[in-house]
Amino acid sequence: MRIGIITSGGDSPGMNATIRAVTRCALDRGIEVVGIHEGWQGVVDGGDRFEPFNWRSVGGILQLGGTIIGTARSDAFRKLEGRRQAARNLVNAGIDGLVVVGGDGSLTGALLLYQEWPEHLKALAEAGAIPAEKAENPVPFRIAGLPGSIDNDQFGTDMSIGADTALNTIVEAVDRLKSTADSHQRTFVVEVMGRRCGYLALMGAVATGADWVLIPEEEMDARWHFRMVEALKRGRAAGRRHDVIIFAEGARHSDGLSIKAETITEILKNRLGVEARVTVLGHVQRGGSPTPFDRSLSSRLGEAAVEHIAGPDPTPVMVGLIHNQPHATPLTEVVAKSQAVNTEIEQGNFEHALELRGRSFLDSLELFKTLARSEPKQELACCGRIALLTGGPDAPGMNAILRTALRIARNEGQDVIGVRYGFGGLARGDIWDIGWMEVQNWINLGGSELGALRHELTDDEIPLIAQQIRQWDIRGFIAVGGLTTYKQVEKLVAAREKYDELRIPMICVPATIDDNLPGTEICIGADTALNNIVDAVDKIKYTAGAAHRAFIVEVMGRRCGYLALASGIASGAEMELLPEDNATLETLLRDTETLREGFRNGKKLGIIIMAENAFPCYDTQLVRRVMDAEANGAFEVRECILGHLQRGGVPTAFDRIQGSRLGARAAQQIMADIAAGRADANVIGVLERGVVVTSFAEAMAQMDWVNERPKEQAFLQWRGLADTLARPGPARGEFRPDRSLKTCQV
Ligand code: ADP
């Protein structure tokens, strides 16, 4: 079998990672790969636009933005003759299927080519342009689309390739604007991309704590600007020092005319007397190195696309990510439903357009509107207090959880207090009566503004906590943190028999860079840590010089290999040493031999990501010395222990957004528990089906307590992919059994 790969339409960061994964996964299965330059135009042109790829053709490209095979808009391909010419080139190059990475338009083109295929073959055979037998019993042309677009506007995937990078670029830019806006008490208007889709604008607004957002999916009736001006006025009156308005390039008035930055600045000038500054982020949103999320998303979807093309089902599909799993949706459905939203917006059916974007988009819009208020909707009611605390150690994104939980609860009239320095602070009564405006700028701060401290509660402290609960009339608490936090909650639950005060609802929100908690697949903070690690590894790679050198990069994670495996995939490491592997001296010698083989075959640089507890008894220095000695001069070994820098820095867009979602859900759950008189203990986490509440007892039962990690760890399924992508070359003669994706009718 021989397949082609094209990148088409607007480029997006992560396309190169897709090209690499598709090429290597296909070669690994014995499928030949042709890289076709310049998108659909290259397919129409043929000739030297078709480049046979080998394993090395896609080396060193994982971290590059853009696409090494180029992309283009092709008018020729929009016409029947152009597509016929493309079919001719594909048949004559012996290509049986295409992986098409692109947006809506590119995939619409792919579907047309598939549908017209038998007709093209017949016409081409009749004209003598292809051998007659090709048209006799035509085999369907195989198509696997991949969602390559920063806009995140495609049906059939929760995230498209490049959206996370674009979102992080927006977040970084707005963070910078906010610091200058704050100094001068300025108003900034920021235009972001997204064509007809408000995803980047809305999520950018949630992640930066913006004050107003304008998106194409929401109807701008005749009074929208009055509401905006009123909200900004109230914000200033409440003590806000700056305003940030984010608007999507596709936002429009109810009559369909685009809303321009000048429209907004003019309104602000006339109605508020404010000189607003405009920043159009433009193409910087498309550029730059892809985030680790985009790199691993591309790699996982690339592998799944090859599996589909090599599998028995000829249905053309788009492989997207749904509930954190690769998922194939028929292209007909993807194209129809993606276009449906655009049509609804065009025709002014905003309510339906919003509905088509899905539940999570709607929830995010609601969430944003509450978070952006300058004061709570309701007066304080007399219903005791909810306490918020962060158990140690701190993790980036904790502040997003706290800020959101506080505003969601306070908005409903529920009083909220903060506890400083975790459970120790609770026992001491170190309490902070936090106000609505005090959390205004918490969203982009690393660590925890409440102070997170690892603290094991002693028997003497439990009655002190009971006393504080009584004194402050605490009706429930939300504890944000890692395993130590969970364990303290367990102690308090166990002490309920003795202390009636402890019969209140308690909620754990998982926040630790180690990603080792039950009741969730994602812990807040892990994405930021992953970004820190991959950023460091990208830099380390440039220090190798001309020497044959291997770097052992030690990463955190306690006994959980998530950070090691995920950063290995995202940085293109040669190998990952995980605590789950039960590595021994023998396996280390084997790994050294594998590396030696790689260096003998031309490798110049090797990255080994080693989890801090990969070996029960050997530390990184010892592993380095063993490898160095056993390398026998084939390569030298350096070590790099990343340490606490992994935990630092501002949280990524993902940690802020997921943190906000979990914080909101925690507040809603605890208010419902209080109202119903329940004293449940729960964990709020992100599982396949979204934000989920799991009973605390059930979550604790999911733990492997010997290793202090969940018994089931979803990320371990990426192991095979990491190994395939890191191989020195195709495993000749080795064919894997088909694991074709099921196409699903959603
Ligand atoms: P994107 O894929 O990012 O949505 P475009 O809409 O510009 O970008 O589409 C990229 C290319 O896909 C177009 O230049 C064209 O060659 C092809 N294409 C788009 N729409 C169609 C269509 N309706 N029929 C055939 N080809 C199309």
Side-chain angles (χ1 to χ4, degrees):
M1 190 176 196
R2 184 179 295 164
I3 61 169
I5 175 160
I6 63 167
T7 49
S8 169
D11 65 317
S12 67
M15 280 183 161
N16 283 325
T18 320
I19 297 167
R20 173 178 178 266
V22 167
T23 302
R24 292 197 169 169
C25 291
L27 291 173
D28 190 54
R29 285 169 163 264
I31 299 170
E32 291 177 293
V33 182
V34 178
I36 305 177
H37 294 258
E38 314 307 335
W40 283 123
Q41 189 57 46
V43 189
V44 175
D45 293 345
D48 59 7
R49 300 279 199 217
F50 285 46
E51 183 192 350
F53 272 178
N54 60 35
W55 199 270
R56 303 221 164 189
S57 313
V58 293
I61 65 169
L62 178 65
Q63 71 278 20
L64 303 180
T67 156
I68 58 156
I69 49 177
T71 174
R73 315 252 184 212
S74 167
D75 286 336
F77 193 76
R78 287 181 184 273
K79 302 190 185 87
L80 184 86
E81 311 83 74
R83 293 193 292 277
R84 187 147 298 166
Q85 177 64 22
R88 173 189 179 154
N89 291 332
L90 290 167
V91 171
N92 288 334
I95 292 175
D96 310 292
L98 265 186
V99 175
V100 180
V101 194
D104 263 6
S106 306
L107 299 188
T108 307
L111 183 60
L112 270 180
L113 182 69
Y114 168 85
Q115 287 163 341
E116 297 165 351
W117 190 251
E119 196 188 310
H120 286 319
L121 295 198
K122 191 161 171 268
L124 289 167
E126 277 166 14
I130 59 168
E133 66 271 17
K134 294 275 183 195
E136 267 152 30
N137 284 312
V139 220
F141 190 65
R142 308 298 297 267
I143 300 264
L146 289 173
S149 161
I150 63 165
D151 304 335
N152 206 26
D153 56 351
Q154 282 155 290
F155 179 83
T157 192
D158 293 339
M159 279 302 266
S160 57
I161 294 163
D164 184 64
T165 307
L167 198 51
N168 276 289
T169 305
I170 292 168
V171 163
E172 197 189 324
V174 176
D175 280 357
R176 284 169 195 258
L177 289 175
K178 277 176 75 173
S179 57
T180 157
D182 208 59
S183 315
H184 291 274
Q185 303 206 34
R186 281 206 168 115
T187 300
F188 271 91
V189 176
V190 185
E191 181 187 310
V192 303
M193 283 184 161
R195 295 197 284 189
R196 294 283 162 73
C197 179
Y199 175 86
L200 288 177
L202 176 57
M203 293 308 171
V206 171
T208 57
D211 306 298
W212 198 259
V213 72
L214 299 168
I215 55 171
E217 295 85 348
E218 215 185 10
E219 180 163 15
M220 299 295 150
D221 62 20
R223 296 193 59 80
W224 70 266
H225 34 91
F226 290 101
R227 285 197 300 275
M228 177 180 78
V229 165
E230 270 315 301
L232 298 184
K233 262 192 207 160
R234 279 198 300 271
R236 287 301 175 115
R240 206 160 64 203
R241 285 181 59 83
H242 65 259
D243 307 297
V244 173
I245 299 161
I246 298 188
F247 82 104
E249 59 180 355
R252 45 194 62 217
H253 299 278
S254 49
D255 59 8
L257 287 178
S258 299
I259 296 178
K260 303 271 180 230
E262 300 82 67
T263 324
I264 303 174
T265 49
E266 217 167 287
I267 291 166
L268 295 174
K269 187 164 183 192
N270 294 339
R271 302 252 165 77
L272 272 179
V274 163
E275 285 286 348
R277 310 287 152 124
V278 176
T279 302
V280 179
L281 291 181
H283 280 73
V284 292
Q285 293 162 89
R286 272 196 200 292
S289 181
T291 56
F293 178 87
D294 272 328
R295 297 186 201 182
S296 52
L297 173 70
S298 305
S299 306
R300 292 174 67 197
L301 297 188
E303 179 191 41
V306 170
E307 280 180 11
H308 179 78
I309 276 202
D313 181 359
T315 315
V317 298
M318 186 193 82
V319 181
L321 189 79
I322 294 184
H323 300 325
N324 207 20
Q325 290 298 328
H327 194 95
T329 308
L331 215 43
T332 41
E333 197 179 345
V334 172
V335 168
K337 296 214 168 133
S338 299
Q339 282 168 358
V341 187
N342 292 344
T343 313
E344 294 295 346
I345 293 173
E346 212 118 272
Q347 295 180 349
N349 303 325
F350 294 98
E351 217 168 290
H352 195 213
L354 261 177
E355 241 170 65
L356 289 173
R357 283 274 181 249
R359 189 70 250 162
S360 132
F361 191 91
L362 275 170
D363 289 347
S364 300
L365 186 57
E366 277 309 303
L367 178 61
F368 171 77
K369 287 181 176 172
T370 304
L371 294 179
R373 294 180 69 92
S374 46
E375 75 260 305
K377 178 177 72 185
Q378 288 188 31
E379 294 284 309
L380 267 187
C382 299
C383 47
R385 299 186 174 91
I386 292 177
L388 305 178
L389 66 86
T390 45
D394 50 66
M398 279 182 161
N399 287 320
I401 302 172
L402 298 172
R403 175 181 188 265
T404 311
L406 179 129
R407 287 200 167 173
I408 291 293
R410 186 60 198 80
N411 199 44
E412 302 297 325
Q414 171 65 59
D415 198 2
V416 181
I417 49 174
V419 178
R420 290 196 184 88
Y421 305 114
F423 289 95
L426 184 56
R428 287 192 305 275
D430 195 350
I431 304 264
W432 174 5
D433 202 356
I434 325 173
W436 184 274
M437 265 300 157
E438 279 169 288
V439 298
Q440 174 68 15
N441 293 327
W442 284 19
I443 188 87
N444 55 352
L445 302 178
S448 160
E449 285 299 289
L450 286 179
L453 204 64
R454 204 194 295 258
H455 179 82
E456 303 271 346
L457 284 172
T458 61
D459 289 346
D460 299 343
E461 284 173 313
I462 310 269
L464 297 179
I465 287 182
Q467 190 192 328
Q468 295 299 341
I469 289 176
R470 201 171 343 111
Q471 188 177 328
W472 285 89
D473 194 10
I474 295 173
R475 305 277 175 95
F477 70 78
I478 298 174
V480 182
L483 216 46
T484 320
T485 306
Y486 277 52
K487 284 181 184 167
Q488 307 322 304
V489 170
E490 193 177 33
K491 279 184 196 164
L492 295 178
V493 170
R496 280 174 167 175
E497 300 233 324
K498 217 161 151 197
Y499 302 100
D500 261 352
E501 291 86 344
L502 297 175
R503 292 183 197 278
I504 54 172
M506 303 176 188
I507 287 187
C508 286
V509 182
T512 166
I513 68 161
D514 301 328
D515 214 41
N516 60 349
L517 298 178
T520 191
E521 279 183 9
I522 293 164
C523 296
I524 303 306
D527 187 60
T528 307
L530 198 54
N531 276 261
N532 289 337
I533 296 167
V534 172
D535 206 30
V537 176
D538 282 354
K539 290 185 179 125
I540 290 168
K541 283 181 176 174
Y542 286 109
T543 69
H548 285 142
R549 193 170 280 174
F551 288 93
I552 302 176
V553 182
E554 187 199 288
V555 302
M556 286 180 161
R558 296 174 150 254
R559 306 249 180 94
C560 169
Y562 171 79
L563 285 179
L565 186 57
S567 63
I569 291 177
S571 60
E574 270 57 36
M575 63 181 62
E576 300 85 16
L577 305 175
L578 313 183
E580 289 83 352
D581 293 340
N582 299 317
T584 60
L585 190 56
E586 202 183 333
T587 60
L588 178 61
L589 294 179
R590 262 207 312 269
D591 288 342
T592 312
E593 181 47 37
T594 308
L595 279 172
R596 231 151 51 116
E597 182 74 27
F599 280 100
R600 251 189 251 123
N601 290 337
K603 189 181 280 300
K604 293 229 166 63
L605 168 73
I607 298 284
I608 301 138
I609 309 275
M610 176 170 152
E612 58 186 349
N613 289 306
F615 290 88
C617 310
Y618 311 144
D619 63 7
T620 308
Q621 282 87 353
L622 184 80
V623 172
R624 199 250 310 147
R625 285 206 297 274
V626 171
M627 273 198 162
D628 218 9
E630 297 300 319
N632 257 338
F635 60 99
E636 53 185 61
V637 190
R638 296 278 186 276
E639 82 211 24
C640 180
I641 299 173
L642 294 183
H644 278 69
L645 76 79
Q646 294 163 81
R647 280 234 293 272
V650 298
T652 55
F654 183 88
D655 277 333
R656 299 182 197 191
I657 292 165
Q658 289 296 354
S660 299
R661 284 189 175 139
L662 293 190
R665 188 72 180 83
Q668 285 154 354
Q669 181 67 33
I670 211 152
M671 284 190 291
D673 285 344
I674 294 171
R678 290 188 295 257
D680 297 355
N682 285 309
V683 171
I684 305 284
V686 184
L687 294 178
E688 270 188 16
R689 43 194 200 283
V691 176
V692 171
V693 182
T694 307
S695 88
F696 186 72
E698 195 186 326
M700 294 304 259
Q702 291 168 8
M703 284 297 283
D704 161 0
W705 286 107
V706 176
N707 290 303
E708 302 215 312
R709 61 185 177 230
K711 290 176 204 157
E712 308 254 328
Q713 299 186 103
F715 71 88
L716 286 175
Q717 65 187 315
W718 308 341
R719 188 83 225 215
L721 173 64
D723 291 347
T724 303
L725 295 179
R727 269 192 205 144
R732 264 180 292 280
E734 184 195 319
F735 286 91
R736 303 245 178 97
D738 276 346
R739 283 174 291 151
S740 42
L741 286 172
K742 279 199 290 293
T743 48
C744 78
Q745 308 291 335
V746 180

